[in-house]
Amino acid sequence: MYDVVLLTLGSERDAPGGCGSGGACCGGATGADTAPTSQTDTGQTDTGQTSAGQTDTEQCATERPRVPVLACADALNARGARVEAVTARSDAEIDAVLARLDGPPRPDGLTWPDPDSKTRLVIATASDGQLRAVLRRLVKRYAPAPSKRPADLPGNRTLPDLPPVAVLPLDPARAGTHRDLAAQLGLPRDPAAVAAAVLDGTPRRLDLLRNDGGSVTLDGALLGAADDAGRPLHWRARVEVDDTILTDGAEPLLACAVGNAGGYTTLDDVTLLTAPDPADGQVEVAVAVPVVVRSAWGRKRVRLEVRRARGRAVSVLPREGKVPYLDDGVEGELTRKRSWWIEPGAWAVWSI
């Protein structure tokens, strides 16, 4: 029978200073107390903070597990699983849970996931940012440094197959108007159904976006902002997908969407992404450009031109100032070039 860890994060947000980003989390250890886990040449810890380094208000979990967590534990216990509920308030505490998924020692000394592990992980999530926080720690744990790349690593990947995880959504409303990643993927939301997926399901492998800021993206990112009246603000950036240049940075933009899944397909009533697929090995990117045109009578009007491209990697280079963005629902500001690249089938969820 399986050992199942029900992991809850002690923060409502995945932001600098919160769980999964290298800082303190609801009274947990500070970033200075967090042991390095990234397999780098220098041995330094990569915190994965956004370039702006902003702070965010922590909303801590209570000492008592949430009702869905208790219900899932009951369902797992009823099936004979050995269950442990853990609340992590720092990267170090997340890493301690993930260490249970390690495989046996390798001759090359790399920390590697155990493909035959009898330990299964359920992540109780109040937001997609919390799920991302755990996946980011998995990447930092198992991704080898370029100089230590093993021969058995797939040629189109920088990390091995990450251990499958189950997702236990703590907010049923996200299945409605505000669709979270679990809703987009059609994953079970009922605690008993999540327990069944953990024990009886099969891994469903999905693409992962890594970026050169040290983080990951599961759903997508939306770059741009609006003023206090809700009007989009113009900004400029060079946006390139593989060898395709969507904009060279000379013209104003209203928005840029980087899509792995379908969370950022539309902006108001404008379709940005047409068919993002989290399992097709490609990232879909779109930019919204305001274009001035003249009518037959010489009148000027502005129409919105959406340019799209698909590929393995995307880069965004801001031309001026700071560009606000949402990445898996987490706010940040882009001040320098940011690149995302696809890791086909790198992570997986338990599904039936």
Side-chain angles (χ1 to χ4, degrees):
M1 185 47 67
Y2 296 106
D3 294 315
V4 181
V5 181
L6 282 166
L7 176 63
T8 304
L9 299 193
S11 171
E12 289 297 330
R13 297 294 300 273
D14 170 26
C19 281
S21 62
C25 199
C26 297
T30 64
D33 297 328
T34 303
T37 58
S38 174
Q39 299 179 42
T40 63
D41 291 329
T42 62
Q44 295 177 344
T45 304
D46 185 353
T47 63
Q49 295 189 2
T50 62
S51 58
Q54 80 276 15
T55 59
D56 194 18
T57 302
E58 297 287 350
Q59 298 181 1
C60 299
T62 61
E63 292 298 324
R64 180 179 300 174
R66 296 275 293 271
V67 170
V69 176
L70 295 174
C72 188
D74 288 343
L76 290 165
N77 280 318
R79 294 282 304 276
R82 295 179 291 269
V83 183
E84 180 182 358
V86 177
T87 299
R89 292 178 172 80
S90 70
D91 284 353
E93 292 177 349
I94 296 175
D95 294 341
V97 171
L98 302 184
R100 307 183 195 190
L101 306 175
D102 289 354
R106 290 170 53 105
D108 55 17
L110 293 175
T111 302
W112 218 247
D114 184 357
D116 300 318
S117 176
K118 297 302 180 183
T119 299
R120 297 195 169 178
L121 177 63
V122 180
I123 306 171
T125 61
S127 67
D128 287 343
Q130 290 192 337
L131 178 61
R132 183 182 81 160
V134 179
L135 264 295
R136 184 166 58 206
R137 299 311 301 174
L138 276 172
V139 169
K140 293 185 187 304
R141 184 168 193 84
Y142 295 124
S147 63
K148 298 180 180 179
R149 181 183 177 90
D152 57 342
L153 193 63
N156 61 350
R157 292 254 294 274
T158 66
L159 68 161
D161 285 352
L162 298 177
V165 300
V167 181
L168 174 62
L170 297 176
D171 183 4
R174 294 296 180 90
T177 304
H178 304 287
R179 289 171 58 83
D180 59 11
L181 189 59
Q184 294 178 48
L185 297 175
L187 300 179
R189 306 185 75 86
D190 177 75
V194 173
V198 172
L199 299 180
D200 303 325
T202 56
R204 176 183 172 188
R205 303 221 66 89
L206 302 165
D207 300 335
L208 179 73
L209 282 173
R210 294 190 68 183
N211 67 56
D212 56 3
S215 191
V216 300
T217 300
L218 307 179
D219 187 355
L222 180 65
L223 294 85
D227 60 19
D228 293 339
R231 295 182 295 266
L233 298 174
H234 290 186
W235 52 284
R236 287 175 170 80
R238 178 185 176 93
V239 181
E240 191 170 357
V241 182
D242 291 350
D243 296 326
T244 300
I245 299 174
L246 292 179
T247 175
D248 62 5
E251 57 196 342
L253 300 177
L254 293 184
C256 173
V258 178
N260 186 35
Y264 298 101
T265 56
T266 62
L267 178 64
D268 295 330
D269 58 348
V270 177
T271 298
L272 297 177
L273 305 175
T274 56
D277 182 346
D280 67 353
Q282 290 190 314
V283 56
E284 184 177 355
V285 183
V287 295
V289 184
V291 178
V292 177
V293 297
R294 289 182 179 272
S295 68
W297 295 273
R299 295 177 180 175
K300 293 182 179 180
R301 66 181 181 88
V302 177
R303 67 177 178 85
L304 198 60
E305 178 181 304
V306 179
R307 304 170 190 166
R308 304 179 181 91
R310 301 173 66 85
R312 290 291 310 279
V314 55
S315 65
V316 178
L317 174 61
R319 291 302 191 191
E320 53 193 19
K322 301 176 181 179
V323 180
Y325 66 84
L326 288 174
D327 192 333
D328 282 346
V330 181
E331 297 178 0
E333 288 183 331
L334 201 61
T335 59
R336 58 180 177 81
K337 184 178 180 180
R338 173 62 49 84
S339 297
W340 289 263
W341 66 91
I342 203 79
E343 299 278 350
W347 74 294
V349 291
W350 290 109
S351 62
I352 295 180

